[in-house]
Amino acid sequence: MIKKIFFIFITVSFSFALPLILFEIYLIYDQKYPPYEQFEYKIENIKYKFNDNPKKYSSDISSEKVIFLGDSFVYGNVCAGNKKDFVNRVKSEIKNKKNYQIFNFGSYARGPSDYLLIFNHFKENNLKKLIVVLNYNDIAINVVDCKTIKVLNKLGLIENIKLCDKILNTNVDRYSGTFLKSLDNFLENTYVWRFIREKLYIFPFLRKYYGRTTFESLYQNKNTIYYKTYIELLNVIKREAENIGTEIEFVYFPEVNYLKKDNPKYWKLFINEAKKNNIEVKDSWEYFLENKKSNDMRWSLTDYHPNCKAHKIMSEYILKYVL
């Protein structure tokens, strides 16, 4: 009897496990993208990776220049290998039409504090225009890294967050301690669970725990350190650019996994607030809705970076409304 129960248990477990294992293998393959050359560069002892060579930028003292700043959406994470990211597309389109050089200094997993730091480092070299491309998670990524906080302290932008060693007391994990979040932490290293987790977005009572919508509360509360720092950083970037006569544009690159009219669009709350602070942010959302190839234009089932068709749409928007 015990052997029979054990055999049934093994059979049932294997029946469930095998499809999940096969799906995990497929998802691992699905999210791969072409490799590309990257340039490591240190600023204020923070290591960045860029698609364009900073040494080339610094050595060219005659050409007028345009710099793109942003996170992995600008970095071109999944499309740069084939030069199909939007910055490379823009370069290709205006190569023989404009007399300035374009440099992509977007960097993976960075935020507005880094954009300010990178801009200040490169600004003294015939910089004609600065284009800062903002993304949904920029509001939360300002104060989650110790090195970044040291820079912010140095700039006098954060008064109530002290220098840190390893752990920040900033309530980064806003739902820690719940059973659902504990389960998430346990399973999050698998692609299958990442896939399932994002699908839980369709259940309103789970949205605060899963999906990219964990940022929604930050966009709705103007009194958080995240919100205030975000506004202040954009203000400083704008002021610093204007002080040296550099044109500046803030552009919003939307997440492309849910390109539907009923998307909550919480980032628009911030864009409206930024406008009250004399910060104009061009929002490409409507342009994406008009030109989308599908409602979901991410790279893969588990990688939320825009695919190369989405990058093409963004390049068209930049060429039409920004450059």
Side-chain angles (χ1 to χ4, degrees), residues 200-209 213 216:
L200 295 175
Y201 174 82
I202 63 174
F203 302 104
F205 70 97
L206 290 176
R207 288 182 182 178
K208 68 177 183 178
Y209 299 100
T213 53
E216 288 178 2

Side-chain angles (χ1 to χ4, degrees), residues 148-199:
T148 298
I149 285 180
K150 290 177 181 178
V151 172
L152 291 172
N153 274 266
K154 186 176 180 180
L155 294 170
L157 291 175
I158 291 185
E159 298 177 358
N160 59 336
I161 295 183
K162 305 302 180 183
L163 297 180
C164 60
D165 293 319
K166 293 182 179 179
I167 301 174
L168 304 181
N169 185 25
T170 57
N171 198 26
V172 172
D173 189 349
R174 290 172 289 285
Y175 304 103
S176 59
T178 65
F179 170 76
L180 288 174
K181 190 58 184 176
S182 298
L183 179 63
D184 178 35
N185 292 338
F186 178 74
L187 296 171
E188 67 181 352
N189 290 324
T190 66
Y191 286 103
V192 170
W193 177 242
R194 294 180 203 177
F195 172 79
I196 294 172
R197 182 177 59 187
E198 299 298 345
K199 295 304 178 184

Side-chain angles (χ1 to χ4, degrees), residues 10-25 192:
I10 293 297
T11 302
V12 171
S13 298
F14 184 77
S15 298
F16 276 101
L18 182 60
L20 292 176
I21 292 171
L22 293 175
F23 191 38
E24 178 76 11
I25 293 171
V192 170

Side-chain angles (χ1 to χ4, degrees), residues 78-79 84-85 89 297 299 306-313:
V78 297
C79 296
K84 291 184 178 181
D85 61 289
R89 287 179 180 274
M297 297 186 71
W299 176 255
N307 64 25
C308 298
K309 291 180 180 178
H311 272 275
K312 184 175 186 295
I313 293 173

Side-chain angles (χ1 to χ4, degrees), residues 71-113:
D71 68 353
S72 54
F73 278 33
V74 179
Y75 185 56
N77 209 44
V78 297
C79 296
N82 294 324
K83 294 193 179 299
K84 291 184 178 181
D85 61 289
F86 79 90
V87 179
N88 270 310
R89 287 179 180 274
V90 168
K91 286 181 183 180
S92 177
E93 284 293 323
I94 69 171
K95 187 175 182 180
N96 299 317
K97 301 175 185 177
K98 304 287 184 178
N99 60 350
Y100 49 74
Q101 298 293 317
I102 293 178
F103 289 86
N104 183 352
F105 291 146
S107 192
Y108 184 85
R110 296 297 176 178
S113 56

